[in-house]
Amino acid sequence: MDKQYPVYTLKNECNDCYKCIRGCHIKAIRIQSGSASVINDKCIACGHCVTVCPAGAKRVRSDIDVAKALLLTGADVYISLAPSWAGVYSISKEKMIAVLKKLGFKGVSETAIGAQEVSIQTAKILNSAEKGLFISSACPVIDDYIRLYKPEFAKNITPIASPALTHAGLLKDILGKNIKVVFIGPCIAKKNEADRHPDLISASLTFDELNYWIKEEFIDVNNIETDESCHFVPEFSYEGALYPIEGGMNETIKRVGIDKNDVTYVAVSSLEDFDKSLQNIDPDKVENKIFVEALGCSGGCINGPCISSEKSRILVTSDIYANTQYREVIPKEPRKVVNVEYTPSPVEHIEYPIEEVAKALKKISKHSEEDELNCSGCGYVSCREFVNALIAGDAEPSQCVSYMRKIAVRKAAAMLRCMPSAVVIADADMNIVEANDSFEQMFLGEMYEVFANRSEGLQGAALDRIIPFSELFKSTLETGNDIHQEHYAHNDKLYDISVFTIEDNELVGAVISDVTKSELDRSKIAQKAREVITKNIATVQEIASLLGEHMVETELLLNSIAKGYDSDSKITSEGK
């Protein structure tokens, strides 16, 4: 199974701010369904997107479980501790070592030892060269940036492994080939380095991960007990501890000594500055000897993405200098050299046809150069750069702020225009911000034609001079409570009014319906109903009356018949 890339996105946390794109020097970010994800093949794991993400959606892969698994195997696992630790943690060397041994590690060694070997070998390379441009290989971010985006300079990277890889190789030479090495430092790109060189570094942790692990194990860093075993192995470092500071590597090379002192030293930190420093340079035409100490983070490793310290850079730098020891005599030959060839692997840059670019621009309502605002709201420097990403499938039209605003305005305008009810929006000063045609027809009367011909309509007009119930708007603005008023009577008119808050104390809107006609129709219907009911009652009464008279007549007739029958019965009885 492929290993997860060191930087990834929590999609549910991504808030469509595009800040990671703006912050990414190489635009290795893809937007899909509104979520920004890292394009692994283009990314150099500088970690800038992690530090600038306001929602914390950009995350760093945790390798704590990998380190724990190594410990469970029973192997001797050693820590390669980046020299920037001295500026991050306000504890002694002994306590730092005790903490790491408490986590289960066999021993702790300083990556700065590897840095010293790299400086000695770099000095040898510079001494043997007559001229040329040389770029340090200490920073994996810079190494990958050159390979992917400045491949013409790949041959200028000094063919030496980084201090961390060199240190791991040295530890294996001294402590045994079967030991395992885990690097700890402020760098995310070291995870890529570990993934590519598992024979040297088995896992790479950041200071953030270390802090999490310490808390997970409930270790009291300040009060942890130390003993005679709490010392760095196989030895303490010296000038190599300066590597995390901008210019630190150059200083160590100078201390090693250059035979002719004919090297120009340049220190550059941050991708932006490094990119600028390479402009207008043909590496094949450099006539003197130039060494560039290049670091991907501004100010050096002390400003790494996972430095995990709230100290100022000045204090971190001061602490590192205070903990650095210097050798009076530095060997001319390195104990360990890990040779690495930095092979160019350029990211493909496609130049799309003008017709395709123009078509894509039209998709986001860019029909002329004047429409190309180059506002960077999408995360890209220019509309053209954004469109190239759009064609490549790395961007979405919704990233264009001006385009989305136009769509929103059009949708709102269409809805307002088509609504039969009057709609009006007013600001805190009771000035109309927006009103539809139904509102103008309902309340302007003879002035309707005048305002209908104005492009801005009623925008800016005083609401209280047009409608008689502006006090409802003022009340909603002050209280924030919506108001629904039925059958509001004014000048023989009846209105149903719903006033609502759009922005607290700033914008208020209303939907108004003229219900006069419907109420009149209802009155007429009620009157007709009453007339029908009256007639029905009269008819019922008449029927009841007729039925009553008929019943009386029937009763009289039956009584007379009954009496007749009674008389006949009496006569018959007497005759017998």
Side-chain angles (χ1 to χ4, degrees), residues 227-240:
D227 55 37
E228 64 278 357
S229 68
C230 294
H231 59 81
F232 287 121
V233 296
E235 63 205 31
F236 288 109
S237 68
Y238 292 93
E239 68 281 349

Side-chain angles (χ1 to χ4, degrees), residues 243-432:
Y243 259 62
I245 302 169
E246 182 179 348
M249 182 181 184
N250 284 344
E251 187 172 337
T252 62
I253 295 172
K254 291 175 185 177
R255 286 179 177 273
V256 173
I258 300 297
D259 294 344
K260 298 179 182 178
N261 293 322
D262 57 350
V263 179
T264 300
Y265 296 94
V266 178
V268 182
S269 61
S270 86
L271 286 173
E272 291 78 6
D273 288 347
F274 180 66
D275 199 11
K276 291 175 183 177
S277 71
L278 296 183
Q279 290 178 5
N280 303 319
I281 292 180
D282 185 342
D284 297 324
K285 294 182 180 180
V286 175
E287 295 299 324
N288 51 345
K289 212 184 294 185
I290 302 173
F291 179 76
V292 180
E293 176 202 301
L295 298 172
C297 297
S298 178
C301 303
I302 58 170
N303 203 34
C306 298
I307 194 66
S308 191
S309 175
E310 295 181 358
K311 289 183 183 179
S312 73
R313 189 183 299 173
I314 292 174
L315 292 177
V316 172
T317 303
S318 175
D319 289 343
I320 290 174
Y321 269 112
N323 282 278
T324 301
Q325 302 177 49
Y326 301 96
R327 292 181 287 185
E328 291 184 7
V329 179
I330 298 175
K332 295 295 183 181
E333 291 293 329
R335 288 177 293 174
K336 182 68 178 179
V337 176
V338 178
N339 295 310
V340 176
E341 183 180 350
Y342 296 93
T343 307
S345 181
V347 171
E348 184 181 9
H349 178 72
I350 303 173
E351 290 288 343
Y352 295 101
I354 296 176
E355 297 80 12
E356 196 170 355
V357 172
K359 185 178 178 181
L361 283 167
K362 286 181 180 178
K363 281 186 178 180
I364 53 173
S365 297
K366 310 294 182 185
H367 303 286
S368 65
E369 287 189 16
E370 289 74 19
D371 293 331
E372 297 177 34
L373 303 177
N374 301 323
C375 66
S376 300
C378 60
Y380 293 88
V381 175
S382 67
C383 293
R384 294 297 173 109
E385 188 180 356
F386 168 60
V387 162
N388 283 337
L390 199 62
I391 298 171
D394 294 337
E396 295 177 331
S398 59
Q399 289 174 243
C400 181
V401 179
S402 61
Y403 170 64
M404 294 305 292
R405 183 177 181 277
K406 285 179 182 178
I407 290 179
V409 169
R410 288 170 187 167
K411 285 181 178 179
M415 290 178 66
L416 287 174
R417 185 173 62 253
C418 296
M419 286 184 69
S421 298
V423 179
V424 64
I425 299 172
D427 60 22
D429 297 323
M430 286 291 98
N431 293 324
I432 294 176

Side-chain angles (χ1 to χ4, degrees), residues 424 430 432 439 443 462-473 488 490 497 510 512:
V424 64
M430 286 291 98
I432 294 176
F439 179 84
F443 294 103
L463 182 66
D464 53 6
R465 296 182 64 181
I466 297 173
I467 60 173
F469 42 83
S470 60
E471 71 278 357
L472 299 179
F473 289 73
Y488 185 95
H490 179 73
I497 307 164
I512 307 163

Side-chain angles (χ1 to χ4, degrees), residues 65-208:
D65 287 341
V66 177
K68 287 181 178 180
L70 284 172
L71 296 173
L72 289 173
T73 63
D76 290 340
V77 186
Y78 287 84
I79 289 295
S80 175
L81 186 62
S84 50
W85 80 269
V88 175
Y89 297 93
S90 300
I91 56 176
S92 66
K93 295 176 182 179
E94 292 75 18
K95 285 189 175 182
M96 189 66 191
I97 295 167
V99 167
L100 293 169
K101 293 188 77 172
K102 182 78 171 177
L103 292 175
F105 294 103
K106 179 75 173 180
V108 183
S109 186
E110 295 181 278
T111 314
I113 295 174
Q116 291 164 186
E117 305 304 313
V118 170
S119 290
I120 294 170
Q121 181 63 15
T122 302
K124 282 188 65 177
I125 292 171
L126 293 174
N127 278 328
S128 63
E130 293 184 4
K131 61 180 181 178
L133 176 68
F134 300 87
I135 302 172
S136 67
S137 60
C139 177
V141 171
I142 292 293
D143 296 340
D144 282 348
Y145 178 67
I146 292 174
R147 289 191 317 101
L148 298 176
Y149 298 96
K150 297 289 181 180
E152 66 273 23
F153 291 95
K155 61 181 179 294
N156 299 100
I157 304 175
T158 52
I160 317 168
S162 70
L165 292 174
T166 302
H167 182 229
L170 182 61
L171 288 178
K172 285 177 178 285
D173 287 349
I174 297 173
L175 302 173
K177 297 294 182 183
N178 294 326
I179 70 164
K180 302 296 180 182
V181 178
V182 173
F183 174 83
I184 298 179
C187 183
I188 298 171
K190 287 295 183 189
K191 292 181 180 290
N192 274 340
E193 204 167 66
D195 292 346
R196 294 166 187 165
H197 301 276
D199 56 317
L200 293 173
I201 299 179
S202 298
S204 176
L205 304 180
T206 66
F207 287 137
D208 287 337

